[in-house]
Amino acid sequence: MHFELDEQGDWIVDFDELAGKFGNSASYLQHQVKLGLLKGFLEAGSGENAGLSRITIRAGRAAW
């Protein structure tokens, strides 16, 4: 899955592709965003992973 940053430094996510990871439709995930149930977390790498990032997306009990 490919992630990009916009001009403001916010992540751009393809909801169709992300929905496939969770086995849901893009509209369902967008609805979860509106309800505050879809959360994303970004962790900066350290040591041998310095310069890399880990993105975790949680939707209810599921995570990817």
Side-chain angles (χ1 to χ4, degrees), residues 31-52:
H31 180 69
Q32 287 189 312
V33 168
K34 290 177 186 176
L35 295 175
L37 300 175
L38 186 78
K39 307 262 184 197
F41 303 92
L42 177 67
E43 300 173 67
S46 61
E48 67 182 45
N49 293 317
L52 301 174

Side-chain angles (χ1 to χ4, degrees), residues 4-21:
E4 292 183 33
L5 290 172
D6 67 10
E7 295 84 29
Q8 290 81 33
D10 295 324
W11 289 101
I12 300 170
V13 177
D14 182 328
F15 270 94
D16 289 321
E17 191 174 353
L18 184 60
K21 302 290 184 188

